[in-house]
Amino acid sequence: MKHIKEKLAEREAHNALRSLKQRHFAIDFYSNDYIGFSTNSEITKRISQLLPQQTAPHGATGSRLLSGNLPIFSETESYIAHFHNAETALLYNSGYDANVGFFSCIVGRGDIILYDSYSHASIRDGISLSLANSYKFKHNDLDDLEKLLKKFAFPDKTVLIVTETVFSMDGDSPDLVRLVTLAKQYGAYIAVDEAHAIGVFGKHGCGLVQALGVEEEIFARIVTFGKGLGAHGAAVLASNEVIQYLVNFSRSFIYTTAMSPHSVATIRAGYETLQTTKSIEQLHHNIQYFKTQIAKYKIQGFIPSDSAIQAIVVAGNERVKALAKVLQAQDIGVLPILAPTVPAGQERLRICLHSFNTEQEIEKLMSQLASLSII
């Protein structure tokens, strides 16, 4: 087809053509495995203890509504709900499935969705499938959000505010306490994606919502397990009524084979390990150490962040790719984020910090950055 060739040629012309690669660097500053759970030996042992109880360890055999609703699913959902001080949890096969499935059905025709302009693609895709009217507000700008609330918050409309607790490209966070106040003032509901907060913020890595004590004020939370838990899958945390609604109307939940019992056991084992690990404390030490190195080397361009995601803006696809290659030649795993994933002129190096990174590794990265004139 002509348009396929044209679109690929356009991407190539802008030095933005994506391709699949197998990557391995001696120093990991690029994976989302913030606290090293993907290789945690205690989790591996616990998985083997959980799985013998199951009759179909290699596959769920069908959707949850048909043959796939094995005991480990409901047991894990109950565990997750208790951990997050939520009424109920519902597992999805991925964070993408959860966001598409939730936002596509949760509000009705003519209702209003107000979402942060930096919201993840999965949130945007879910909203685009919704029958609601949607409007974006400036990133983390609650004054801009309030302008929209004044315009659209009427008694005959349901208004849903959508944001993330830690944004995946910038690593920053909204003022959730003020957001809750605004939602109460205008009679709106709040749904948040906690993908990059689980395993990082709050007691035992419970997330930023609980760390701030506002979980009872949030209509729904989407927690995903491919980051801090080093696993796969996601869950929606909400009231019993909302979860029952999703079981009946969320198409990405209804019309898919459930994830394998092994995947669910990995999630359960990860949650159990969160309550004993020292890795979260070590991660926060590394985040603070990294920020001292920014100041030490006087490196400009970093977006302020207290999370595991630290991003330095280097405008231009060619420039940021060239910088990444210099670092990778030193076996330092840092990847460039290109337009159109981020807006043109906002291309950046996205640095992911981990509990297993050493101060020497952080020092090596920062000294290399400081020496590069391209910054």
Side-chain angles (χ1 to χ4, degrees):
M1 294 182 186
K2 182 180 178 181
H3 80 278
I4 294 176
K5 292 182 179 179
E6 290 176 347
K7 286 289 188 181
L8 288 173
E10 181 182 352
R11 281 287 170 90
E12 193 164 15
H14 288 88
N15 205 11
L17 188 65
R18 299 183 177 103
S19 63
L20 295 175
K21 299 177 182 177
Q22 292 187 356
R23 294 186 171 98
H24 177 75
F25 302 102
I27 303 174
D28 179 2
F29 286 119
Y30 67 102
S31 80
N32 291 326
D33 188 21
Y34 302 129
I35 53 176
F37 270 24
S38 70
T39 56
N40 185 291
S41 60
E42 293 302 314
I43 290 175
T44 303
K45 292 177 185 176
R46 181 58 178 146
I47 292 168
S48 65
Q49 294 170 354
L50 290 166
L51 282 178
Q53 306 168 22
Q54 306 306 312
T55 57
H58 303 302
T61 77
S63 74
R64 293 281 299 278
L65 290 166
L66 296 177
S67 59
N69 195 32
L70 303 172
I72 195 169
F73 283 85
S74 57
E75 292 165 4
T76 300
E77 285 167 339
S78 295
Y79 193 97
I80 292 170
H82 178 75
F83 182 90
H84 286 294
N85 294 335
E87 201 167 297
T88 320
L90 183 67
L91 287 168
Y92 280 78
N93 288 12
S94 70
Y96 189 94
D97 284 344
N99 278 332
V100 169
F102 177 83
F103 291 108
S104 62
C105 75
I106 200 62
V107 293
R109 185 184 300 275
D111 289 328
I112 305 296
I113 297 177
L114 306 178
Y115 65 97
D116 190 289
S117 62
Y118 282 18
S119 292
H120 191 268
S122 58
I123 295 174
R124 289 168 172 262
D125 287 353
I127 291 171
S128 70
L129 293 170
S130 167
L131 298 176
N133 298 315
S134 60
Y135 306 89
K136 61 185 176 183
F137 57 92
K138 295 175 184 176
H139 177 54
N140 282 343
D141 188 335
L142 299 190
D143 292 332
D144 193 47
L145 170 62
E146 187 168 17
K147 291 177 184 177
L148 294 175
L149 287 168
K150 288 177 179 177
K151 185 175 182 179
F152 294 113
F154 295 104
D156 62 334
K157 300 286 186 184
T158 296
V159 177
L160 180 68
I161 301 168
V162 181
T163 191
E164 303 176 28
T165 53
V166 177
F167 283 85
S168 61
M169 290 296 109
D170 287 23
D172 57 352
S173 301
D175 183 346
L176 285 177
V177 174
R178 186 184 168 201
L179 184 63
V180 165
T181 300
L182 277 177
K184 285 182 177 180
Q185 181 180 346
Y186 291 94
Y189 298 87
I190 302 173
V192 298
D193 184 322
E194 289 245 74
H196 293 275
I198 301 304
V200 177
F201 290 105
K203 184 178 180 181
H204 304 312
C206 62
L208 199 55
V209 168
Q210 282 169 264
L212 296 172
V214 296
E215 59 265 36
E216 293 186 3
E217 312 298 334
I218 303 298
F219 177 72
R221 286 173 276 168
I222 296 90
V223 294
T224 69
F225 312 130
K227 283 77 177 176
L229 252 67
H232 191 65
V236 175
L237 311 174
S239 68
N240 290 324
E241 183 178 55
V242 169
I243 297 304
Q244 185 179 27
Y245 179 86
L246 294 175
V247 168
N248 281 274
F249 295 100
S250 178
R251 295 169 71 87
S252 65
F253 173 83
I254 298 167
Y255 298 108
T256 189
T257 299
M259 70 177 83
S260 73
H262 186 279
S263 293
V264 182
T266 304
I267 294 164
R268 170 67 181 268
Y271 267 100
E272 292 178 358
T273 307
L274 279 177
Q275 299 184 68
T276 59
T277 185
K278 301 295 184 183
S279 295
I280 300 172
E281 182 180 341
Q282 182 60 44
L283 172 62
H284 281 275
H285 169 81
N286 287 347
I287 293 169
Q288 293 307 311
Y289 184 75
F290 183 90
K291 293 172 77 172
T292 67
Q293 297 304 294
I294 295 176
K296 172 184 173 181
Y297 286 103
K298 300 179 181 178
I299 301 174
Q300 303 299 312
F302 272 101
I303 299 169
S305 168
D306 293 321
S307 77
I309 301 167
Q310 302 287 328
I312 181 169
V313 174
V314 181
N317 282 352
E318 290 188 11
R319 292 180 70 228
V320 73
K321 287 176 77 172
L323 178 55
K325 284 183 179 179
V326 173
L327 295 172
Q328 290 166 13
Q330 302 293 318
D331 228 0
I332 301 172
V334 175
L335 301 181
I337 305 298
L338 311 176
T341 299
V342 293
Q346 290 294 307
E347 296 86 358
R348 77 277 308 271
L349 289 177
R350 180 178 182 265
I351 298 164
C352 295
L353 300 174
H354 309 89
S355 59
F356 51 80
N357 289 135
T358 66
E359 291 186 358
Q360 290 76 17
E361 290 173 345
I362 294 171
E363 174 78 23
K364 181 177 180 179
L365 168 63
M366 301 307 279
S367 64
Q368 287 291 316
L369 282 176
S371 70
L372 295 170
S373 60
I374 194 169
I375 291 291

